[in-house]
Amino acid sequence: MNGLTLSPSSVLPALRSFALPGAILLLVALMVVPIPAFMLDMFFVMNIMISLAVLMVALNAQKPLDFSAFPTVLLFATLFRLGLNVASTRVVLVHGHEGEAAAGHVIEAFGTFLIGGDYVVGIFVFAILIIINMIVVTKGAGRVSEVSARFTLDALPGKQMAIDADLNAGLITPDEARARRVEVATEADFYGAMDGSSKFVKGDAIAGLLILAINIIGGLILGVVSHKMAVGDAAQTYILLAIGDALVAQLPSLMLSIAAAAIVTRVASKLDLAGQIGSQFGSHKTWTPVAVILALLGVLPGMPHFVILPAAAVAGFAAWKLRQIANRPPPAEPAPEPADLSKIGWEEVTDNMQVMLDIGYGLVPLVDERRGGPLMGRITGVRRQLSKELGFVVPQVRVRDDINLAPFTYRIMVGGVVVGEDAVSPDEVLALDTGQASGYLSGKKVKDPTFGLDAVWIHSGDADAATGMGYLVVDPGTVVATHLNQALIQNAADLLGPDEVQSLLEGLKERAAQLVAALSPNPVPLTVLTQVLRGLLAENISLKEFRRIAAAIANAAQRTLDPEEILELIRPDLGPLIIQKLCGVREPLRVMTLEGQLEALLGQAVRSDPAKRHTIEPELGRRIAEALQRAAGPLVAEAKPFALVVQPTIRIAIRKLVKTVLPDTPVMSFFEVPEDKAVEVVAVIGAPEALAA
């Protein structure tokens, strides 16, 4: 109508979305609305069909999570069966006096054919089914579910750490790690749900027993009192119908209990349950002893020879056949096609990982989780902490063994460039002399790879003694992780690329959409923004306060799009962020300055450089660097942070000079120090004449 057509692709999802609510309404209707006997027969057959389907799915699942919907299916199947019990009870009690067919042909068939029309036999058969279902299958499955849920939840943190370790080692991709985390979480939820759903089956068995008692007692009372039947006739009719009704409900319940037990006792395998059992029983070593023992039993006097000996023959034939299969030569594999040596794949010459840690074969135990290797966990901790400090997600670190390295050597690479290399002893610990140690330690004397402190590799048993002598004792995994941390901090600018910057913009867009719209890609292209942010990282300015940084860049972009000029324009707005790392709110800022005549000379040299190379005459630069080192020596020894404050025109040139001798010292312009911040001048680098002297 009016050109509107309904296709199967649009109708099926709609029907599927209404199927479950419709089924729930049907369950409620079965419990409340009287239904005729022929519809009751249809629902009983449907109940048996659903139970068989659930059992088959459970048996064909390769692992428990393949049937992750089982707890919910079990709930609805149990409710459906209980609804049928209510409906059949109503029919039995209302129409039972009319004869055995009054409650439907299914109940009549179960009451007459399966138990021979004898209600005493039916009571015993039903009791046996209840015992099998409740005491054996349901109780056992419930116990297995409880233990599985407990062990799964206990193992959850270890599995998550193993996934992180594989991800850090580059063994899996982020997408694979995400899928494995979802699978681990789903497994924990599944076993927790199975632990609870086993109570449904147990409660269903108890409900079947109570419903049987109600049907028998209620039928006898109604038959004798309301329908004037003899006690024997009422017992014969109502008990037979009640037993038939109970058996109709109990058989599907038993099948669901078996399905639940099969699911919770499964071990993950590439085969379904039949294939798994067949593969494990399909050995001639299993059936040969069986055939021999049965043959010995069959020849004993008094034994049923015509029953046991054929069984022994069958077992012997199975053993002989399986032995032939085992001895059969494997099929010849097709010869592999000769490799084309002229082809070179991209995977042979490229590596997508930005940060790599190469280790010699002697350091493999440090990254082996099965041997308790701590390094992978430390690397994850380093990445997490650095990501918080720098303001963006630090890339993964791929750890790989390199046979070209010495056994106990490691190498840190960022962007294909070696930024750190040293050696550690995996079976010893490193005792660091932080300036407070006293006494002599026997061992291999080295320099700490991170801070250059005097250190000694000692036996782990001497760690307590070294600590008592004032040494700082660290394990080899911590040595490597600390060195990696320092290398990543010093090369943080190389870790930031356009993809990371785009992620920063997307995160900021959720909180300040208009600011992002005013910043990128117009007027500031992503490449220019990346260069500016990398410049901040190169001078140890974190991107945690990205909103403030973005606002400053948006304002500076109105004047220029040159990355270096933008960087200088936004630094006054970021001055408080730099200063807060150097001193407290109420502490004065310790600064070094250059003597006025020297600053004027350097400013004149920079202004006369049209290429903006910001270079200083080499000999003068060497003398300035030496003077800075002499002045900074006492402050560095006392771990007192300070800044070098200079005129804005020479800040870049001085920064390039200072970076070679004092890389952690910030070089600031006068405009970057807030007017209300107290300043303590700790040193003044002298005039050119003094430097020349």
Side-chain angles (χ1 to χ4, degrees):
M1 294 179 296
N2 297 329
L4 179 63
T5 59
L6 295 177
S7 63
S9 59
S10 62
V11 173
L12 289 178
L15 293 177
R16 193 180 297 115
S17 63
F18 286 108
L20 189 58
I24 300 298
L25 293 176
L26 178 61
L27 292 179
V28 176
L30 285 177
M31 296 182 183
V32 178
V33 180
I35 61 175
F38 76 91
M39 289 189 64
L40 197 60
D41 287 342
M42 293 172 56
F43 287 133
F44 275 133
V45 173
M46 185 185 300
N47 185 26
I48 296 173
M49 179 181 67
I50 292 173
S51 302
L52 284 172
V54 171
L55 179 59
M56 292 302 105
V57 174
L59 295 180
N60 291 323
Q62 294 182 359
K63 58 181 181 295
L65 287 184
D66 287 346
F67 198 5
S68 57
F70 182 74
T72 307
V73 171
L74 185 62
L75 167 64
F76 288 125
T78 302
L79 291 177
F80 181 49
R81 188 166 53 257
L82 292 176
L84 285 178
N85 282 136
V86 174
S88 62
T89 297
R90 184 186 297 109
V91 173
V92 167
L93 295 181
V94 174
H95 301 289
H97 64 282
E98 299 176 4
E100 297 174 355
H105 296 293
V106 175
I107 293 178
E108 179 187 13
F110 273 80
T112 56
F113 178 73
L114 293 184
I115 60 177
D118 191 337
Y119 60 84
V120 177
V121 175
I123 290 176
F124 287 120
V125 171
F126 179 76
I128 293 172
L129 288 177
I130 284 288
I131 292 172
I132 293 173
N133 192 5
M134 243 175 92
I135 306 300
V136 180
V137 181
T138 303
K139 187 174 182 180
R143 180 59 179 164
V144 173
S145 298
E146 180 183 351
V147 174
S148 299
R150 184 182 307 164
F151 279 100
T152 301
L153 291 175
D154 290 343
L156 187 60
K159 292 181 179 179
Q160 296 282 11
M161 291 178 63
I163 294 172
D164 290 338
D166 290 345
L167 180 61
N168 290 328
L171 301 178
I172 57 176
T173 64
D175 292 337
E176 292 173 339
R178 195 176 301 110
R180 285 174 58 177
R181 289 193 189 98
V182 171
E183 183 177 358
V184 167
T186 304
E187 183 183 18
D189 294 341
F190 173 77
Y191 281 109
M194 283 301 301
D195 184 25
S197 63
S198 61
K199 305 300 186 296
F200 293 138
V201 181
K202 183 178 180 181
D204 180 35
I206 296 174
L209 191 61
L210 295 177
I211 291 172
L212 174 65
I214 291 172
N215 281 341
I216 292 176
I217 295 172
L220 289 176
I221 294 174
L222 287 173
V224 174
V225 176
S226 299
H227 303 297
K228 309 302 180 183
M229 298 174 64
V231 176
D233 295 338
Q236 177 68 26
T237 301
Y238 283 99
I239 294 180
L240 198 63
L241 289 175
I243 292 297
D245 179 30
L247 288 176
V248 170
Q250 199 59 35
L251 285 178
S253 175
L254 180 60
M255 285 188 285
L256 287 182
S257 300
I258 295 173
I263 281 291
V264 298
T265 55
R266 278 302 308 273
V267 177
S269 172
K270 295 181 180 179
L271 304 173
D272 57 15
L273 186 58
Q276 190 175 0
I277 295 175
S279 64
Q280 296 173 3
F281 276 85
S283 171
H284 65 90
K285 296 179 181 179
T286 300
W287 293 103
T288 300
V290 172
V292 172
I293 294 173
L294 285 178
L296 292 176
L297 286 176
V299 299
L300 291 178
M303 287 292 178
H305 311 297
F306 296 106
V307 177
I308 298 179
L309 290 178
V314 172
F317 176 77
W320 172 73
K321 198 68 178 174
L322 290 172
R323 187 181 184 87
Q324 281 189 329
I325 295 174
N327 294 332
R328 185 180 302 166
E333 296 183 359
E337 296 182 2
D340 188 356
L341 300 180
S342 63
K343 291 184 178 180
I344 301 177
W346 282 105
E347 66 278 0
E348 299 181 41
V349 296
T350 60
D351 197 322
N352 295 326
M353 301 304 293
Q354 196 169 358
V355 183
M356 288 186 289
L357 175 63
D358 295 341
I359 59 176
Y361 67 85
L363 301 182
V364 170
L366 292 180
V367 297
D368 191 349
E369 295 288 342
R370 294 171 297 181
R371 303 183 189 178
L375 186 53
M376 299 310 301
R378 301 277 170 80
I379 291 176
T380 302
V382 166
R383 289 185 59 227
R384 181 176 293 111
Q385 184 62 30
L386 276 182
S387 298
K388 293 179 181 179
E389 292 179 3
L390 298 178
F392 66 95
V393 178
V394 173
Q396 301 168 22
V397 180
R398 169 172 289 177
V399 181
R400 61 183 183 182
D401 59 319
D402 189 346
I403 60 175
N404 296 320
L405 289 178
F408 304 123
T409 302
Y410 66 90
R411 178 188 296 144
I412 303 170
M413 301 178 67
V414 176
V417 178
V418 178
V419 296
E421 186 173 3
D422 214 295
V424 296
S425 179
D427 300 323
E428 296 180 319
V429 292
L430 187 64
L432 300 172
D433 183 1
T434 58
Q436 302 175 352
S438 61
Y440 174 77
L441 288 177
S442 60
K444 180 182 178 182
K445 293 180 172 54
V446 295
K447 289 288 186 180
D448 168 51
T450 305
F451 305 107
L453 301 176
D454 292 330
V456 183
W457 284 106
I458 61 175
H459 191 271
S460 57
D462 299 331
D464 293 337
T467 302
M469 296 167 63
Y471 286 89
L472 176 63
V473 179
V474 293
D475 61 87
T478 302
V479 174
V480 178
T482 306
H483 193 184
L484 174 66
N485 179 76
Q486 189 69 12
L488 293 180
I489 290 176
Q490 293 175 351
N491 297 273
D494 295 330
L495 302 177
L496 187 75
D499 293 329
E500 288 77 15
V501 175
Q502 187 62 43
S503 298
L504 286 172
L505 291 172
E506 291 173 357
L508 180 61
K509 191 174 183 179
E510 299 178 359
R511 296 174 283 117
Q514 295 301 320
L515 174 58
V516 174
L519 176 65
S520 180
N522 188 19
V524 185
L526 186 61
T527 53
V528 173
L529 182 59
T530 302
Q531 287 180 281
V532 173
L533 297 181
R534 293 183 67 176
L536 293 176
L537 290 173
E539 298 201 36
N540 299 325
I541 300 177
S542 171
L543 305 183
K544 285 195 298 184
E545 298 298 328
F546 184 61
R547 180 170 184 168
R548 180 170 185 164
I549 295 172
I553 295 175
N555 291 332
Q558 305 301 320
R559 300 169 57 182
T560 179
L561 287 180
D562 181 80
E564 200 168 82
E565 293 180 3
I566 291 178
L567 190 59
E568 294 303 308
L569 289 173
I570 66 174
R571 285 185 62 90
D573 294 331
L574 307 181
L577 298 179
I578 304 173
I579 292 174
Q580 69 181 2
K581 297 174 63 177
L582 303 175
C583 62
V585 177
R586 298 182 180 179
E587 291 181 297
L589 173 65
R590 289 178 287 270
V591 301
M592 288 186 187
T593 61
L594 301 181
E595 198 273 336
Q597 188 178 354
L598 176 60
E599 277 195 324
L601 176 64
L602 294 175
Q604 182 180 358
V606 169
R607 285 190 294 271
S608 63
D609 181 13
K612 296 183 179 181
R613 292 171 296 180
H614 303 299
T615 56
I616 299 176
E617 193 274 326
E619 182 61 23
L620 178 61
R622 182 184 62 80
R623 293 174 181 175
I624 294 175
E626 291 176 353
L628 284 171
Q629 283 183 296
R630 287 194 299 269
L635 295 173
V636 173
E638 298 177 11
K640 292 182 178 179
F642 63 94
L644 177 60
V645 179
V646 298
Q647 292 181 0
T649 55
I650 64 172
R651 196 200 72 83
I652 297 178
I654 294 298
R655 170 60 187 165
K656 291 180 179 179
L657 177 64
V658 172
K659 187 176 182 180
T660 59
V661 292
L662 296 171
D664 296 329
T665 299
V667 179
M668 307 175 63
S669 71
F670 295 119
F671 296 142
E672 297 170 30
V673 181
E675 296 180 358
D676 57 349
K677 183 63 180 178
V679 174
E680 177 186 353
V681 179
V682 295
V684 177
I685 306 303
E689 294 81 1
L691 292 176

